[in-house]
Protein backbone atom coordinates (compact mmCIF):
# COMPACT_ATOMS: atom_id res chain seq x y z
CA UNK A 1 0.00 0.00 0.00
CA UNK A 2 1.36 3.44 -0.94
CA UNK A 3 1.77 6.23 1.61
CA UNK A 4 -0.88 8.30 -0.18
CA UNK A 5 -3.36 5.40 0.07
CA UNK A 6 -2.66 5.00 3.78
CA UNK A 7 -3.22 8.72 4.41
CA UNK A 8 -6.50 8.54 2.44
CA UNK A 9 -7.58 5.53 4.51
CA UNK A 10 -6.78 7.39 7.75
CA UNK A 11 -9.00 10.26 6.57
CA UNK A 12 -11.84 7.95 5.55
CA UNK A 13 -11.86 5.62 8.55
CA UNK A 14 -11.68 8.49 11.02
CA UNK A 15 -14.00 10.81 9.07
CA UNK A 16 -11.34 13.53 9.02
CA UNK A 17 -10.77 16.40 6.62
CA UNK A 18 -7.29 17.31 5.43
CA UNK A 19 -7.45 20.32 7.72
CA UNK A 20 -8.34 18.26 10.79
CA UNK A 21 -5.58 15.73 10.08
CA UNK A 22 -3.13 18.58 9.61
CA UNK A 23 -4.13 20.02 12.99
CA UNK A 24 -3.76 16.63 14.71
CA UNK A 25 -0.29 16.17 13.20
CA UNK A 26 0.80 19.82 13.62
CA UNK A 27 1.50 20.26 9.91
CA UNK A 28 -0.01 22.44 7.19
CA UNK A 29 -2.98 21.37 5.11
CA UNK A 30 -0.68 21.74 2.07
CA UNK A 31 1.64 19.08 3.53
CA UNK A 32 -1.28 16.67 3.87
CA UNK A 33 -2.39 17.51 0.33
CA UNK A 34 1.11 16.77 -0.97
CA UNK A 35 1.11 13.40 0.80
CA UNK A 36 -2.28 12.55 -0.71
CA UNK A 37 -1.14 13.52 -4.21
CA UNK A 38 2.07 11.51 -3.86
CA UNK A 39 4.19 14.67 -4.30
CA UNK A 40 5.86 14.22 -0.91
CA UNK A 41 6.08 11.82 2.00
CA UNK A 42 5.79 12.71 5.69
CA UNK A 43 8.94 13.79 7.45
CA UNK A 44 10.20 11.73 10.39
CA UNK A 45 8.48 14.00 12.91
CA UNK A 46 5.15 13.61 11.08
CA UNK A 47 5.62 9.84 10.88
CA UNK A 48 6.07 9.79 14.65
CA UNK A 49 2.88 11.83 15.09
CA UNK A 50 1.00 9.44 12.77
CA UNK A 51 2.26 6.52 14.85
CA UNK A 52 1.35 8.22 18.13
CA UNK A 53 -2.15 9.13 16.94
CA UNK A 54 -3.07 6.21 14.68
CA UNK A 55 -0.65 3.37 15.52
CA UNK A 56 0.70 3.11 11.97
CA UNK A 57 4.42 2.43 12.10
CA UNK A 58 6.91 4.15 9.77
CA UNK A 59 7.50 0.79 8.05
CA UNK A 60 3.76 0.50 7.39
CA UNK A 61 3.54 4.12 6.24
CA UNK A 62 6.39 3.61 3.78
CA UNK A 63 4.85 0.43 2.38
CA UNK A 64 7.39 -1.97 3.87
CA UNK A 65 4.70 -3.70 5.94
CA UNK A 66 0.94 -3.94 5.49
CA UNK A 67 -0.95 -1.67 7.93
CA UNK A 68 -3.57 -3.38 10.07
CA UNK A 69 -5.34 -0.46 11.72
CA UNK A 70 -6.23 3.06 10.65
CA UNK A 71 -8.43 4.06 13.59
CA UNK A 72 -7.39 7.02 15.71
CA UNK A 73 -6.22 6.08 19.18
CA UNK A 74 -8.45 7.22 22.02
CA UNK A 75 -6.85 9.42 24.61
Amino acid sequence: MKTSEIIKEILTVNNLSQEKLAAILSVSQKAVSNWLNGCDTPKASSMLMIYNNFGITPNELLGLEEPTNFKQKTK
Side-chain angles (χ1 to χ4, degrees):
M1 198 171 216
K2 293 181 182 179
T3 301
S4 60
E5 294 169 338
I6 292 170
I7 301 296
K8 286 176 191 172
E9 195 68 23
I10 289 171
L11 292 174
T12 302
V13 168
N14 295 286
N15 195 30
L16 296 172
S17 65
Q18 290 183 29
E19 294 82 9
K20 286 197 178 220
L21 180 62
I24 290 168
L25 301 178
S26 299
V27 298
S28 69
Q29 183 273 325
K30 181 70 174 164
V32 174
S33 177
N34 285 339
W35 303 340
L36 290 169
N37 293 321
C39 298
D40 201 1
T41 56
K43 295 184 181 354
S45 58
S46 296
M47 285 187 194
L48 181 59
M49 291 293 291
I50 290 169
Y51 174 70
N52 286 338
N53 285 280
F54 300 97
I56 296 172
T57 68
N59 281 350
E60 291 170 338
L61 193 58
L62 295 173
L64 302 174
E65 296 174 10
E66 197 63 33
T68 56
N69 182 37
F70 299 96
K71 198 78 171 143
Q72 188 171 11
K73 293 179 177 180
T74 56
K75 295 182 178 185

